[in-house]
Amino acid sequence: MTTHTVSLTDYRRKTSINRLGLWLFILSDMFVFLGLLVARFYLLGFQSRPEASQIVGLIVTAVLLASSFFMNRAEIAAEFGDQKAFLRSTLITMLLGILFLIGVVGVEWQIAPFGPADGTVGSLFYAMTGFHAFHVLTGVIFLFIIYRNGRKGLYSAERHWPVEAAAVYWHFVDVVWMFFYPALYLIGAAIL
Amino acid sequence: MEAKTDEIMEAKKKDAYRKGVAVIVLLAFLTISEYWIGAVAYYWWAAIMGIAILKAFFVVRDYMHIGRLFASDEEL
């Protein structure tokens, strides 16, 4: 059996290409979220919004922001070869992501005074939060993969591209929520 | 020589962590601001969206490291 080890120079070159590919994917995914955001303002205007729980909205937003902070710590730890800190921060990020999902799908969806079939407001609210929640779920799965691989010791200070990719994806999901949160919870008067 | 390199790496690591803390504090402040504006003046949509853009800018720059896209292999 022959072993093939990619040199560090090759690895870095490949990472540069991968990075560009990831950002192109994020750009294309952004257009879908942008479409939903435009639909929300086109259909409801700037004077009205869904009657969703303000307190749940604020809590899930804080949870997602905190998750981004821990994801950043996980990435820094991986960059500097701090295996223990990387695993700990990734686990916290994952748990906060699950907490966000529980907040949106398990709480907000259950207490909302409208359903997905209740006109424009319901359709928009569930489409936007649902599509975003699905991205959070895939992010959690991605984090689980890097956590598992990290436990196996597959990443080092020099070679940790999957960690960087997971971090960029996770922060992107957070950025999307930075626009969805005001669009769904803050701008306009609440309507059913 | 090796001890000095370790010291430099440790300082870089601390700087990176510190930057992460500064960004989250800023994001928390901006989120509270937008929540407050939404509560007292929901029709100020431009201000609320302006804050959202500002928050996104900090995350894209400092957490997503968009600058790495334009850096050469040696600079990274």
Side-chain angles (χ1 to χ4, degrees), chain A:
Chain A
M1 199 175 103
T2 56
T3 51
H4 176 71
T5 313
V6 180
S7 75
L8 197 56
T9 316
D10 284 345
Y11 184 84
R12 280 182 179 164
R13 193 169 300 133
K14 211 175 155 199
T15 298
S16 294
I17 297 163
N18 289 346
R19 195 175 283 132
L20 189 64
L22 178 68
W23 276 91
L24 282 173
F25 159 72
I26 281 174
L27 195 68
S28 62
D29 208 18
M30 202 176 71
F31 284 115
V32 183
F33 285 113
L34 209 59
L36 285 168
L37 203 64
V38 169
R40 179 259 180 259
F41 286 112
Y42 180 75
L43 294 169
L44 300 181
F46 291 94
Q47 300 306 316
S48 51
R49 63 168 170 82
E51 196 183 332
S53 167
Q54 286 292 303
I55 193 73
V56 174
L58 188 63
I59 291 171
V60 294
T61 301
V63 165
L64 205 59
L65 277 181
S67 78
S68 250
F69 170 69
F70 282 103
M71 187 71 252
N72 179 250
R73 286 182 88 83
E75 193 190 355
I76 293 167
E79 260 176 46
F80 289 93
D82 190 345
Q83 175 84 350
K84 224 173 158 184
F86 159 69
L87 290 173
R88 191 177 51 233
S89 293
T90 305
L91 190 64
I92 295 171
T93 310
M94 228 177 351
L95 292 174
L96 288 170
I98 292 166
L99 203 61
F100 176 86
L101 285 174
I102 292 169
V104 172
V105 180
V107 179
E108 187 66 281
W109 283 15
Q110 308 307 316
I111 62 170
F114 48 80
D118 292 339
T120 314
V121 171
S123 307
L124 276 172
F125 184 78
Y126 285 92
M128 289 173 78
T129 54
F131 197 66
H132 181 266
F134 184 72
H135 276 73
V136 174
L137 180 66
T138 51
V140 169
I141 294 167
F142 201 174
L143 288 176
F144 176 73
I145 292 167
I146 62 158
Y147 178 78
R148 196 168 170 271
N149 288 346
R151 276 179 69 105
K152 286 181 188 169
L154 295 186
Y155 308 127
S156 65
E158 293 81 20
R159 296 164 198 253
H160 58 271
W161 159 246
V163 179
E164 185 186 328
V168 170
Y169 181 78
W170 190 260
H171 296 310
F172 165 66
V173 171
D174 189 24
V175 166
V176 170
W177 189 253
M178 282 174 184
F179 291 95
F180 275 22
Y181 170 61
L184 293 172
Y185 290 88
L186 301 178
I187 296 171
I191 54 161
L192 272 175

Side-chain angles (χ1 to χ4, degrees), chain B residues 14-51:
Chain B
K14 274 184 183 162
D15 272 356
Y17 278 134
R18 221 173 280 144
K19 195 176 181 184
V21 172
V23 170
I24 193 68
V25 168
L26 196 63
L27 291 176
F29 171 74
L30 290 171
T31 304
I32 292 165
S33 304
E34 74 178 343
Y35 178 79
W36 181 75
I37 294 172
V40 298
Y42 63 77
Y43 40 84
W44 280 10
W45 62 269
I48 296 169
M49 285 316 263
I51 291 175

